[in-house]
Amino acid sequence: MAWKIYTICILAVAVSNAGYAQRNKGNAQDSLGWASRIVVDGKLNDWGDSLRYEHATQQFHYEIRNDATDVYVAMRVHDKDRQMQIFAQGLAFMINTKGKRREGPTVYFPVADRLAFRSIMSADNDDRPDDMRKGALAAIRAIHVVRFDDVLDGQISLENTYGIHAQATLDTADALCVEMVVPLARLGLSVDEGNEVAFNVKINGIVVPGSGSSPSVMRRGYGYPYGYGYPYGYGRQMPSKPREEPGVWIVAPLAKK
């Protein structure tokens, strides 16, 4: 009987580990590098030849670095459907300053002007651009923030005084490239402390209950966190407790030069 119980336990662990690997497949980041002369302009040439880490489930590459004053994230997305999901619902960069895989201050970007984006997407628009992504880039108006101690939840200007900035571009390989920066002082962090910090990066989206977890389902979402659907409403309502896409976690101390 004992060997049967032991065998069942081994099988349970194997199945659990296989499921975990499937959800988190890709080359995940496990430590932060030092940021040197990064300019937040959406152009990733100052990150080296390529972003080194991958969230394969959501089909993007990313990297997080810090210097003495700021923490930076860069993301590159090649899949065009995923790009349109980002224009509709944004990317999320979350920081838990206690090093826990839990909610913390979060930056959502890009946030497009609703009326402008709906007009761009409309089939009745005579000036509808051939490349919808370029039209969506032109409609970006703000950054959305939540859970910062000294910044009110909601939209802030692209040219704000909080030191929280973000930019997006399409590169020569037709990939969507996004950079964000958050001041360490805004988070109450310092590179001298040496404590672990937890970061989460993801393409924003909702998993619709009872419909599986395929990207095509998750892309349709409910427009969280902005309160409008994909793309901005059209009769959908936010469920009371939507299950969000999990993203990828990085738990590590800040880098020191």
Side-chain angles (χ1 to χ4, degrees):
M1 180 64 69
W3 69 267
K4 289 183 179 180
I5 295 175
Y6 179 78
T7 302
I8 290 171
C9 290
I10 292 295
L11 287 173
V13 171
V15 170
S16 175
N17 287 343
Y20 181 86
Q22 186 175 9
R23 289 193 303 272
N24 297 277
K25 60 185 178 179
N27 176 28
Q29 184 171 358
D30 58 8
S31 63
L32 271 63
W34 185 260
S36 179
R37 299 177 182 175
I38 290 178
V39 178
V40 179
D41 55 7
K43 301 174 183 178
L44 305 185
N45 53 298
D46 42 9
W47 291 80
D49 293 336
S50 62
L51 301 180
R52 294 181 289 174
Y53 306 103
E54 181 186 16
H55 184 18
T57 303
Q58 286 198 326
Q59 300 171 287
F60 66 80
H61 287 81
Y62 69 95
E63 191 165 346
I64 301 172
R65 298 181 189 175
N66 69 273
D67 57 21
T69 58
D70 300 282
V71 59
Y72 304 82
V73 62
M75 301 172 73
R76 177 183 281 117
V77 184
H78 286 277
D79 183 81
K80 290 186 179 180
D81 283 347
R82 286 291 188 180
Q83 292 175 10
M84 291 309 296
Q85 179 187 359
I86 290 167
F87 288 126
Q89 298 174 281
L91 295 163
F93 179 43
M94 182 165 64
I95 307 102
N96 183 290
T97 59
K98 304 299 182 183
K100 307 295 184 181
R101 298 184 186 222
R102 299 175 184 169
E103 289 185 339
T106 306
V107 178
Y108 298 99
F109 179 83
V111 182
D113 178 83
R114 266 200 282 184
L115 293 178
F117 191 58
R118 287 178 66 175
S119 176
I120 290 168
M121 296 290 288
S122 174
D124 297 327
N125 181 11
D126 293 335
D127 297 323
R128 180 173 173 167
D130 293 333
D131 190 335
M132 303 299 293
R133 300 168 305 158
K134 293 181 179 179
L137 281 172
I140 295 173
R141 295 290 185 270
I143 301 166
H144 194 97
V145 297
V146 296
R147 292 185 289 272
F148 283 85
D149 289 340
D150 54 357
V151 184
L152 290 176
D153 289 359
Q155 293 187 15
I156 60 174
S157 168
L158 295 175
E159 302 298 330
N160 64 79
T161 59
Y162 301 116
I164 301 170
H165 298 294
Q167 289 290 335
T169 62
L170 291 169
D171 67 12
T172 55
D174 219 22
L176 176 64
C177 302
V178 176
E179 289 179 295
M180 305 185 209
V181 59
V182 180
L184 296 178
R186 190 71 59 194
L187 300 164
L189 295 174
S190 168
V191 295
D192 298 325
E193 294 173 351
N195 299 325
E196 285 192 334
V197 182
F199 303 92
N200 185 278
V201 291
K202 67 179 180 179
I203 300 173
N204 225 34
I206 297 297
V207 180
V208 180
S211 56
S213 59
S214 67
S216 61
V217 170
M218 291 188 283
R219 271 198 287 273
R220 289 198 288 269
Y222 289 88
Y224 182 89
Y226 314 125
Y228 37 80
Y230 180 81
Y232 309 117
Y234 305 151
R236 287 183 178 264
Q237 294 182 345
M238 176 78 79
S240 57
K241 292 183 179 180
R243 183 163 66 92
E244 302 173 37
E245 295 197 44
V248 59
W249 284 99
I250 303 94
V251 182
L254 294 170
K256 294 184 178 181
K257 188 172 183 180

